[in-house]
Amino acid sequence: MAFKKLALALFALCSFAALSAQSISRWHIGPEAGLTVARTYSGDTLPAAYSSRNKTGAYFQLNTQYNLSPGASVQLGIGLVNKGYKINNDTLGLNTGSLSHNSGSLNIPIGLSLRQSLSGSSFLTEKFGVSGSWLFNTETQTFLNDPRDTVFRIVQTTPSKFVPAFYLGFAMGGTGENGNRYEFGLLYQQSLRQESELRVESGEFWNRSFPLQYRGGFVQFRFTYLFDLENFKKSDEYFY
């Protein structure tokens, strides 16, 4: 319910701003790509032999921006996100002591992008909004640290296919003479519910175990390029 209320409030704010600034509205659309960094919940307590590490992944997204004013835009995206976690048993070697897993999801964010001019055509932008992730695989899975010499394993249970989230980020970029924009930025997405429950098992007949939480939040290092759709309109007019 909290996610729905937040999304409705954001939509109402965007609609009001759009109605008050129709004369200066412009559309931008383009790709975004980068790296993700994720890990298990930082508040979990691990036994002495184990540690949680960052896991990197990749993502690709298509963004659409509707400009409410020269300094504000509504942004809607759809993309594929690959993220995960890594658990180490520090008593084992580098090859067998690490167990990592990546999972994929369809991510759809909607939010606001605010821009402040720095100098010339360059700008600083802040982004915030809500997002929904639809997981590709929700079956219970078991992962082994080494299939040939298994010392520990992780049993992963995913209770829901849909995970709501919110995001915050910032970027630096510029606008070309043709109106196209580019951005280099950092964004953090925090899930509003648990994505997966993990149980790390070891010992004879797996008689020793401890739980871990994986909420599915991640940090993005991202590059975005947005085409000004007014350029395509001008190209069409050229032929008439």
Side-chain angles (χ1 to χ4, degrees):
M1 290 297 294
F3 175 78
K4 290 182 179 179
K5 291 179 179 179
L6 184 59
L8 289 173
L10 182 61
F11 178 77
L13 176 63
C14 295
S15 299
F16 174 78
L19 289 173
S20 63
Q22 287 183 352
S23 61
I24 56 174
S25 65
R26 298 180 67 187
W27 289 93
H28 283 74
I29 187 171
E32 177 178 300
L35 295 176
T36 63
V37 180
R39 63 185 301 158
T40 57
Y41 177 56
S42 58
D44 283 334
T45 300
L46 283 73
Y50 291 88
S51 60
S52 179
R53 307 292 178 89
N54 291 329
K55 184 73 176 71
T56 59
Y59 85 100
F60 178 83
Q61 184 168 291
L62 182 65
N63 287 330
T64 299
Q65 283 191 356
Y66 177 75
N67 297 322
L68 304 173
S69 72
S73 301
V74 179
Q75 178 170 300
L76 174 66
I78 181 169
L80 301 176
V81 177
N82 185 262
K83 58 186 186 297
Y85 54 83
K86 179 186 290 186
I87 304 298
N88 276 20
N89 184 318
D90 300 325
T91 64
L92 303 177
L94 294 177
N95 294 330
T96 61
S98 181
L99 194 163
S100 61
H101 172 67
N102 275 52
S103 59
S105 64
L106 178 69
N107 196 52
I108 300 181
I110 179 172
L112 290 176
S113 177
L114 305 177
R115 292 180 300 278
Q116 300 85 45
S117 178
L118 295 178
S119 62
S121 62
S122 62
F123 58 82
L124 176 68
T125 178
E126 301 85 33
K127 299 176 184 293
F128 60 93
V130 295
S131 178
S133 293
W134 283 263
L135 308 177
F136 293 146
N137 192 342
T138 57
E139 297 179 356
T140 298
Q141 302 175 80
T142 300
F143 310 107
L144 309 177
N145 71 298
D146 187 343
R148 297 166 299 179
D149 184 20
T150 303
V151 176
F152 70 100
R153 68 182 186 180
I154 293 179
V155 180
Q156 174 180 298
T157 303
T158 304
S160 176
K161 196 175 185 66
F162 172 73
V163 180
F166 70 89
Y167 67 87
L168 299 167
F170 69 93
M172 294 186 67
T175 303
E177 293 182 359
N178 57 1
N180 295 346
R181 296 182 189 139
Y182 63 89
E183 299 175 2
F184 295 90
L186 182 69
L187 184 143
Y188 173 67
Q189 179 164 305
Q190 173 62 58
S191 301
L192 297 176
R193 70 168 60 145
Q194 180 91 339
E195 181 173 312
S196 297
E197 298 174 356
L198 312 177
R199 189 171 69 253
V200 183
E201 300 178 336
S202 62
E204 187 177 9
F205 305 114
W206 311 112
N207 60 351
R208 295 195 300 271
S209 67
F210 62 91
L212 287 176
Q213 302 178 61
Y214 179 62
R215 296 188 64 86
F218 54 86
V219 175
Q220 289 180 341
F221 297 90
R222 37 188 288 279
F223 172 74
T224 310
Y225 194 88
L226 297 169
F227 296 93
D228 185 353
L229 293 190
E230 289 291 323
N231 293 327
F232 296 94
K233 182 179 179 181
K234 293 173 184 177
S235 297
D236 292 340
E237 292 174 349
Y238 176 79
F239 292 100
Y240 288 93

